[in-house]
Each structure stands twice: as C-alpha cells, then as structure tokens.
C-alpha cells in the first residue's frame, strides 16, 4: 500500500498548542457531517465529494478523445479561465518535463489560452500555431465567460481557415453545461464532441471532471492514477471523524486558529518550480471560496528557493501577519549530483557528490527553522513524490479542507458573487446591449 500525504503541525506549536488544534478539529467534524448530509450553505454544489467514483465511467471516453487529439495534432490549445483552467495547468506543469515546449523529441504540447485578454499573448499564439498542427479544447461551464469566449472566437476562426470548417469541427472539443450558455449553442450548430460539466460541481472543484482530466490525459499523464490518489484521500478524510488522523480537518482547523491569532495571510510554499501552478490553483480555490462577507484568509504563494531572494526578506522580517503552508516532496524523479572539481575556486567541493535534492532539502529545513525563529508559523504537508497519485491526493485533500474551512468561517464556500462586479463594469464600458445606462454613469466617473 502506498504511503499517504501527511500533515505535520510541529512548526505551528510555538503559536497554537497542538491539543488546541486537535480540539478544534474534533469540533469541526460537524462540518464534515454537514457536507456529507448536504445540509450546509451551497449544498447544491457538492458533486465533487464523490467524483473519485462518479468519474470512473467517463475515463475511457476521456482517454479515447485524448488519443484521438494526440493522433491528429501535435499541439492542443486549451481555452478556459479560473476553475476551467487552473487545475489542468497545475497538474500538467507539476508532472511534465520542465522544458516541454522546447523539447526537440516527439511530444504533444498543451498550451493554455483564454485565461487573459492580452492582445499580444493571443497574437503571438496565433503566430506560433500558424506553423503547427493543432486541436482546440474549449472549457466554460457557464459558456458565457468573456475571456475564453473571445479566445475561442479568434482561434476557431484561425483553425477553420487553416484546415476547413468540417475538419476543424473534428478537432474541437467543448466542455460545458448540458443545456445553457452560448458555448452550448455553438456546439449544437457545429456538432463538436462535448463533455458535460455537472450542475452540482463548481468551476474550482472541477479538476476531477473532464475539465481537468481531458487536458491532463492529452498531455500524456495517467488520469486513472490521479483519480486513484483522489479516491484514497476521500477514504482518509470524508468519513473520518477521528480528527487526529484526518489531514483535511487538521489543516482547516490549524489555519483558522492561526487567523484567529492575528495571521490573516497564508503563503503556499513549494521548493520546486513545478509546484508554481499548484499554488495558483490553490489560491483560486481558497480565495474564491473564503474571501467574502468581509472574511477569509488571503492566499498568497512563493516558489523557493527562488523567492527567498525577493519575498524572503518580508517573510523573515516584515509585519508578523503571515503563516506558511509548505509542500515538501520527498524524492525527485531525476537524479543529479554535484561534481568534484580539482580546482575548488567556487568553493563548492564540500558539496561534491551530493545530490541537488539533498541541498534543496537542507535549504528547506534551514528555511523552516529561520522562519519559525522569525515568528512565522508553518504547516507542513508532506508527499513522497510529485506524481499522478499524490497530485490526486493533494487535490482532494485541499478541496475537502477548503469546504470545511469555509463552514468554519460561516461562508458559502461554493459561490463567488464578488467576481461579477468587474464583469458588469466591463460590459457597461464596452457598451454591451442592456448595459447602456450603467455605462454612461461609469464613463462619467473615469
Ligand atoms: O470557480 C469558479 O466557478 C470560477 O473560477 C469559474 O471557473 C471561472 O469564472 C470560469 O467560469 P466558466 O467555466 O463558466 O467560464
């Protein structure tokens, strides 16, 4: 049996006694019950709880579609934003070769679009794909989100001009709502292959649906192992009322007690750039789920040791309003040792023969001690390796903890009313039909 992800609260004990965290987590079991009984806020968005089982019947079709796109093209453009983008990117960046797009060996590139409205980004993407044989996956649950809708209009038009309308339709896959939205209408008109995002799963909890799994499968990763990892974490957390052995309960309680003790900012820390987009996914999950009604912990992130040479100063010495959640990966996939040099002018011979991971682990331990001495509490999350199984564990672990944490804060962890504010203003400023009056008032203010 595989070892599980584990949580270590040793480096929070100076700030909150372990017994207090256990007691809080034990009390929070009621939130687990609320989730399982579907009696809490946002209870129409609980489909993610049983996804590790519910998604199994769809895996074969997802894999088949992935094989098809890999056989007809060398690049897939994945269009989406927020929850329709970050989960897939997190897993793909964590588990793929760091230099995938630059590799000369035969491989399939997955490139993301629709996550911004930057003219240069899309224009440069068009320059790149002009010389490529590409497919498109467009993902939008609502089917009306402006950023991916614009990117899809432009890229679909390009693909249709490049290969013809019929051939383009065979290499465009849409992932959207079963009935609603403009993307659904495009699907009906053009006959694209589609996957459905269930009504009871919100964007940021959708990585274990085709939203995340199809792009991940296209990049060549093992989605069955990812789901298996998530299932093992469901088994460890969902019905485990013994708080001391339930990592999601412990994490949710520890971070809320830290908030109550004057630490409103949580920094996700990884010691590999491969975790960069995992932190981005986590920031969206927690930021959108908790940041409402004037409440919530502000989620931030750093990549270490890189950012020890920038944000490290603030973390060590700035306002004491921070805590860190550090993901430690025990073993890297590859092996590299530091060579011995006869002439030791760079004075690194004391490291000769050591693996880079040993140096990195010592940097990590040194950082933990230094930050703890600087009064930064640290929650340590440990995984044996960065692979599909543990990515699945991380995803389910954080989702479960986020839902519990939202209930601890007494907010609805499954809605995001705040994101509408900028959209309304943008539509009004762009003279979208129906927004004319609001547009006039806003323009006066500018
Ligand atoms: O978590 C969420 O619900 C949001 O971040 C959405 O995923 C994001 O706004 C994109 O929405 P859609 O998939 O409807 O285009």
């Amino acid at each position: 049996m595989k070892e599980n992800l584990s949580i270590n609260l040793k480096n929070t004990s100076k700030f909150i006694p372990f017994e207090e965290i256990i007691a809080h987590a034990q009390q929070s079991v009621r939130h687990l019950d609320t989730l399982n009984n579907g009696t809490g806020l946002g209870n129409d968005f609980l489909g993610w709880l049983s996804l590790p089982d519910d998604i199994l019947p769809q895996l074969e079709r997802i894999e088949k579609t992935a094989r098809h796109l890999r056989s007809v093209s060398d690049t897939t453009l994945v269009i989406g934003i927020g929850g329709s983008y970050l989960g897939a990117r997190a897993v793909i960046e964590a588990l793929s070769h760091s230099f995938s797009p630059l590799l000369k060996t035969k491989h399939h590139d997955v490139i993301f679009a629709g996550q911004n409205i930057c003219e240069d980004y899309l224009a440069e993407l068009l320059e790149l794909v002009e010389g490529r044989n590409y497919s498109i996956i467009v993902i939008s649950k609502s089917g009306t989100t402006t950023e991916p809708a614009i990117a899809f209009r432009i890229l679909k038009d390009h693909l249709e001009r490049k290969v013809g309308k019929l051939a383009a339709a065979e290499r465009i896959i849409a992932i959207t709502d079963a009935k609603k939205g403009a993307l659904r209408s495009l699907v009906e008109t053009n006959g694209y292959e589609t996957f459905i995002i269930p009504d009871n799963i919100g964007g940021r909890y959708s990585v274990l649906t085709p939203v995340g799994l199809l792009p991940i499968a296209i990049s060549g990763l093992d989605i069955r192992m990812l789901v298996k990892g998530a299932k093992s974490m469901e088994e460890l957390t969902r019905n485990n009322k013994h708080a001391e052995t339930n990592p999601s309960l412990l994490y949710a309680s520890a971070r809320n007690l830290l908030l109550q003790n004057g630490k409103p900012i949580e920094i996700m820390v990884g010691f590999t750039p491969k975790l960069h987009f995992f932190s981005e996914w986590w920031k969206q999950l927690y930021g959108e789920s908790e940041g409402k009604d004037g409440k919530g912990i502000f989620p931030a992130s750093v990549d270490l040791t890189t950012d020890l040479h920038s944000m490290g100063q603030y973390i060590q010495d700035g306002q004491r309003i921070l805590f860190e959640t550090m993901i430690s990966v025990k073993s890297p996939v590859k092996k590299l040792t530091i060579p011995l040099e006869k002439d030791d002018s760079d004075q690194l011979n004391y490291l000769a023969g050591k693996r880079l991971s040993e140096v990195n682990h010592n940097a990590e331990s040194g950082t933990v001690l230094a930050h703890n001495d600087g009064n930064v509490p640290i929650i340590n999350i440990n995984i044996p390796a960065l692979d599909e199984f543990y990515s699945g564990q991380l995803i389910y672990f954080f989702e479960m903890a986020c839902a519990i944490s939202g209930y601890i804060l007494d907010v609805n962890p499954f809605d995001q009313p705040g994101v509408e504010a900028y959209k309304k203003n943008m539509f009004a400023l762009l003279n979208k039909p129906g927004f004319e009056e609001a547009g006039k008032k806003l323009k006066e203010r500018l």
Side-chain angles (χ1 to χ4, degrees):
M1 227 180 58
K2 273 178 173 275
E3 200 181 319
N4 280 322
L5 164 157
S6 64
I7 180 167
N8 183 339
L9 297 169
K10 187 169 149 234
N11 298 304
T12 53
S13 60
K14 197 169 118 186
F15 311 87
I16 321 262
F18 185 57
E19 300 67 41
E20 203 180 313
I21 299 176
I22 297 288
H24 190 282
Q26 203 57 54
Q27 277 178 16
S28 300
V29 165
R30 67 199 155 100
H31 300 306
L32 211 54
D33 291 338
T34 306
L35 277 171
N36 280 316
N37 298 333
T39 49
L41 291 168
N43 58 1
D44 41 352
F45 281 99
L46 296 175
W48 59 275
L49 278 168
S50 51
L51 264 178
D53 284 322
D54 296 346
I55 198 63
L56 293 176
Q58 286 196 60
L59 293 185
E60 208 171 302
R61 184 158 88 90
I62 295 173
E63 287 167 335
K64 191 171 162 224
T65 307
R67 278 197 302 276
H68 166 67
L69 292 191
R70 282 173 71 93
S71 70
V72 298
S73 50
D74 53 41
T75 301
T76 299
L77 305 182
V78 178
I79 301 174
I81 196 166
S84 291
Y85 152 68
L86 283 159
R89 186 152 196 187
V91 175
I92 292 172
E93 300 263 342
L95 306 185
S96 306
H97 195 289
S98 300
F99 305 100
S100 284
L102 302 174
L103 283 177
K104 291 271 184 281
T105 47
K106 191 171 158 38
H107 65 286
H108 191 93
D109 282 325
V110 172
I111 298 175
F112 293 91
Q115 78 279 34
N116 59 56
I117 330 175
C118 172
E119 189 160 344
D120 287 340
Y121 184 91
L122 212 51
E124 285 165 8
L125 182 58
L126 285 174
E127 283 170 22
L128 175 82
V129 295
E130 187 56 44
R132 294 220 182 188
N133 183 9
Y134 69 95
S135 300
I136 296 176
I137 303 176
V138 54
I139 310 171
S140 178
K141 182 172 178 191
S142 62
T144 54
T145 309
T146 309
E147 292 89 339
I150 292 174
F152 184 53
R153 178 183 276 219
I154 292 171
L155 291 165
K156 173 174 86 72
D157 180 59
H158 184 268
L159 186 61
E160 286 176 348
R161 279 188 287 108
K162 197 171 156 73
V163 300
K165 210 169 157 74
L166 275 180
E170 277 170 22
R171 48 173 78 189
I172 293 176
I173 313 289
I175 306 180
T176 188
D177 185 85
K179 297 190 198 81
K180 309 185 290 283
L183 183 54
R184 171 52 52 193
S185 318
L186 277 169
V187 165
E188 310 296 334
T189 314
N190 295 289
Y192 304 141
E193 181 180 351
T194 45
F195 289 87
I196 308 293
I197 309 173
D199 282 345
N200 63 352
I201 298 176
R204 58 190 176 276
Y205 290 83
S206 70
V207 53
L208 297 172
T209 71
V211 169
L213 296 180
L214 183 59
I216 292 168
I218 286 174
S219 75
L221 295 166
D222 182 350
I223 54 171
R224 285 179 192 269
M225 204 40 112
L226 188 84
V227 173
K228 202 170 169 187
K231 177 68 196 170
S232 66
M233 194 44 60
E234 182 191 341
E235 281 164 1
L236 188 64
T237 58
R238 191 173 167 189
N239 290 302
N240 181 358
K241 299 187 180 190
H242 181 57
E244 211 162 329
T245 58
N246 186 328
S248 294
L249 275 172
L250 290 175
Y251 174 58
S253 285
R255 59 197 296 283
N256 276 283
L257 285 170
L258 289 166
L259 171 68
Q260 288 163 25
N261 280 272
K263 309 285 182 192
I265 298 174
E266 176 176 10
I267 307 178
M268 180 59 66
V269 182
F271 276 80
T272 159
K274 287 176 175 285
L275 283 172
H276 177 84
F277 274 95
F278 227 101
S279 298
E280 295 301 313
W281 169 80
W282 168 85
K283 281 196 279 193
Q284 190 224 356
L285 180 63
Y286 281 74
E288 272 195 347
S289 299
E290 295 188 329
K292 53 197 69 161
D293 308 338
K295 299 179 186 172
I297 297 171
F298 183 82
S301 65
V302 291
D303 299 330
L304 303 187
T305 63
T306 312
D307 292 331
L308 285 175
H309 301 262
S310 63
M311 295 304 288
Q313 173 59 40
Y314 194 110
I315 297 171
Q316 187 70 46
D317 260 350
Q319 280 198 74
R320 302 297 73 195
I321 50 173
L322 319 165
F323 68 97
E324 292 176 300
T325 294
M326 218 172 251
I327 300 185
S328 304
V329 184
K330 195 167 167 195
S331 314
V333 177
K334 308 220 164 119
K335 194 171 172 185
L336 193 62
T337 51
I338 298 170
L340 181 73
E341 288 250 349
K342 223 176 181 174
D343 158 22
D344 187 27
S345 15
D346 58 7
Q347 297 173 12
L348 284 179
N349 269 353
Y350 78 103
L351 295 177
K354 287 196 196 305
R355 287 183 62 178
L356 249 70
S357 51
E358 189 182 339
V359 180
N360 206 19
H361 283 314
N362 280 290
E364 185 176 327
S365 304
T367 306
V368 167
L369 296 172
H371 287 183
N372 229 225
D373 288 346
N375 286 327
V376 179
I378 300 163
I379 299 172
N380 293 97
I381 310 288
N382 304 307
I383 52 171
L386 200 48
D387 60 15
E388 286 92 335
F389 183 84
Y390 290 110
S391 297
Q393 284 212 336
L394 280 171
I395 288 166
Y396 199 92
F397 159 75
F398 279 125
E399 287 180 348
M400 179 56 87
C402 186
I404 296 168
S405 190
Y407 284 170
I408 292 172
L409 285 163
D410 196 24
V411 296
N412 178 350
F414 307 112
D415 67 0
Q416 55 286 328
V419 299
E420 295 308 315
Y422 99 92
K423 288 187 194 169
K424 282 188 198 140
N425 286 352
M426 177 177 75
F427 294 151
L429 292 168
L430 287 168
N431 301 322
K432 184 170 176 174
F435 289 80
E436 294 83 355
E437 270 313 299
K440 267 189 217 149
K441 285 188 190 141
L442 285 176
K443 282 172 194 161
E444 278 163 21
R445 281 175 57 196
L446 280 177

